Amino acid sequence: MAGKRKVTLIPGDGIGPSIVEAATAVMEAAGALVEWDVHEAGEKVMEKFGTPLPEEVLENIRENVVAFKGPVTTPVGGGFRSVNVELRKKLELFACVRPAFSIEGVRSPYKDIDIVVVRENLEDLYSGIEHMVTPDVAESIKVITRKGSERIVRFAFEYALKFSRKKVTAVHKANIMKLSDGLFLETAREVSKDYPEIELEERIVDNMAMQLVQKPHLYDVLVLPNLYGDIMSDLCAGLVGGLGIAPSSNMGYDELAVFEPAHGSAPKYTGLDKVNPTAQILSGYLMLLHIGQYDAAERVLEGVKKVIGEGKVVTYDLGGNAGTSEMARAIIDAIESM
Ligand code: NAD
């Protein structure tokens, strides 16, 4: 297929296949030139191949460089390890980027928010180094490295440059964790010297949480170690209306990137054609920006804004009673009438 960009497509589990179908149809209507290279990961593959993430899927993503993914199920407690964690580790997707922007028509106490959360994805308390010191004392090790801090802060500044943003806020708790968060902060100060046109601001994480609730408009790009980033990215999604509309991307070296919604596979809604496809569709918007298909990306965003703004054909979480496919159809109609 000449002119088309090949992208790995992982439909996922639960609601994944239906929202992925909705998103790919919307992107196609918007004129995206993409050839989908479909590969399965998650529960279904576990049953078939004994692993939720076969090596050939990883190879395929490395080859295509970009993947578009639906959410996958991870069993709580026992069972297999999270496909998402494995993907991030094996492909060294060190940056999780979660833009949180207001869409008119979504119920929220805030308007005109435009924050991008850049979360370190591989270190910190998520390194998986845990042990029992005695039967009654457990320890988890927080790992922060200069290399890990440098690449995530540089990524945040490069992102700010690319998207004409003015300020990067480094979020930390270096007043208490003087060595680990201290190293993150010291590295942020060092890296910021290479970007004199972008302001570096520093915030202690608890103050950051309060400020985001009280004065979210003051913030632009946030860069955080893994745990604070995990929490603050959901907080920011909450500011603009919740996970149903929150897109996300996991990025690594050399443009390697996996785009997916921030929410999970919501198994109880499987096959009901009920959930909101917006987070998946907006993940497609981010993917199109990443691969340089700017016009198609813009049309996807405008279609979503139009349908949500009108508020007539939207899913239950947005106050309507349309189904997944019906809302996607309305977005396609909106794009086709532009
Ligand atoms: P979830 O996000 O799947 O669902 C929580 C609740 O949020 C749902 O019950 C539903 O009420 C609501 N919700 C989620 N997506 C929605 C949508 N698009 N539209 C409307 N409402 C929506 O979280 P969970 O129940 O904690 O996790 C379910 C499974 O998803 C678990 O196996 C978990 O490991 C997995 N998960 C996967 C990813 C991923 O693949 N990236 C991310 C998070 C969770």
Side-chain angles (χ1 to χ4, degrees):
M1 288 194 204
K4 291 203 174 187
R5 168 72 191 251
K6 210 170 179 182
V7 169
T8 304
L9 179 72
I10 301 173
D13 298 317
I15 58 171
S18 67
I19 53 176
V20 163
E21 190 184 324
T24 52
V26 167
M27 283 189 263
E28 194 182 325
L33 292 171
V34 176
E35 180 190 342
W36 301 109
D37 193 357
V38 183
H39 286 258
E40 293 286 354
E43 260 180 338
K44 286 173 240 141
V45 173
M46 182 70 200
E47 286 159 19
K48 264 194 254 167
F49 301 110
T51 166
L53 187 60
E55 189 54 39
E56 56 104 14
V57 178
L58 290 166
E59 255 326 296
N60 188 264
I61 298 174
R62 286 189 192 104
E63 209 175 291
N64 290 330
V65 183
V66 172
F68 188 59
K69 176 183 161 295
V72 297
T73 300
T74 304
V76 176
F80 56 82
R81 291 184 66 182
S82 159
V83 167
N84 305 306
V85 173
E86 286 297 287
L87 260 180
R88 286 170 208 160
K89 281 192 175 158
K90 295 211 163 133
L91 298 176
E92 218 178 341
L93 301 172
F94 60 85
C96 178
V97 183
R98 293 256 304 258
F101 51 89
S102 300
I103 298 178
E104 218 180 303
V106 176
R107 282 173 299 188
S108 158
Y110 304 95
K111 271 179 186 267
D112 303 323
I113 287 178
D114 186 10
I115 298 171
V116 178
V117 181
V118 177
R119 162 190 171 191
E120 202 288 323
N121 235 353
L122 302 174
E123 301 196 328
D124 197 2
L125 277 161
Y126 292 49
S127 305
I129 309 169
E130 282 195 306
H131 52 258
M132 299 303 293
V133 179
T134 73
D136 300 318
V137 178
E139 269 183 3
S140 281
I141 309 285
K142 175 174 165 108
V143 180
I144 300 280
T145 67
R146 196 179 298 279
K147 179 186 169 200
S149 303
E150 219 229 271
R151 69 182 172 184
I152 194 67
V153 174
R154 197 168 288 289
F155 183 98
F157 275 95
E158 288 292 328
Y159 184 98
L161 265 188
K162 182 172 174 189
F163 292 101
S164 309
R165 289 178 172 264
K166 304 275 174 281
K167 184 170 75 170
V168 172
T169 305
V171 184
H172 64 91
K173 189 78 184 175
N175 50 331
I176 305 295
M177 282 162 278
K178 293 181 191 294
L179 297 183
S180 53
D181 281 17
L183 177 58
F184 178 80
L185 185 58
E186 176 197 318
T187 309
R189 288 175 184 161
E190 243 349 272
V191 170
S192 73
K193 291 179 188 157
D194 294 341
Y195 301 89
E197 62 278 68
I198 296 164
E199 182 191 348
L200 171 72
E201 178 181 66
E202 301 171 11
R203 285 283 178 274
I204 293 174
V205 64
D206 39 348
N207 180 31
M208 184 78 247
M210 186 188 69
Q211 296 250 334
L212 280 172
V213 172
Q214 287 194 323
K215 308 172 196 165
H217 301 101
L218 294 184
Y219 295 95
D220 191 349
V221 176
L222 312 182
V223 63
L224 315 89
N226 207 339
L227 176 62
Y228 310 146
D230 192 2
I231 298 167
M232 292 302 157
S233 50
D234 271 23
L235 191 157
C236 289
L239 294 176
V240 297
L243 288 182
I245 58 160
S248 141
S249 54
N250 292 291
M251 326 269 280
Y253 292 110
D254 301 325
E255 305 291 306
L256 194 65
V258 176
F259 295 85
E260 62 183 344
H263 62 71
S265 58
K268 69 180 179 192
Y269 291 118
T270 307
L272 299 184
D273 193 30
K274 188 172 162 71
V275 296
N276 191 347
T278 304
Q280 187 80 50
I281 294 172
L282 291 179
S283 302
Y285 158 68
L286 297 183
M287 187 200 82
L288 292 173
L289 287 179
H290 183 70
I291 61 176
Q293 297 191 15
Y294 301 110
D295 290 348
E298 213 42 52
R299 279 193 287 274
V300 168
L301 181 62
E302 287 313 310
V304 166
K305 281 184 174 171
K306 184 155 190 274
V307 168
I308 294 182
E310 287 171 358
K312 286 189 223 137
V313 192
V314 292
T315 47
Y316 73 94
D317 56 312
L318 296 175
N321 53 19
T324 309
S325 50
E326 207 183 336
M327 183 167 171
R329 185 69 245 169
I331 295 171
I332 290 168
D333 290 344
I335 290 169
E336 285 172 351
S337 68
M338 276 172 201

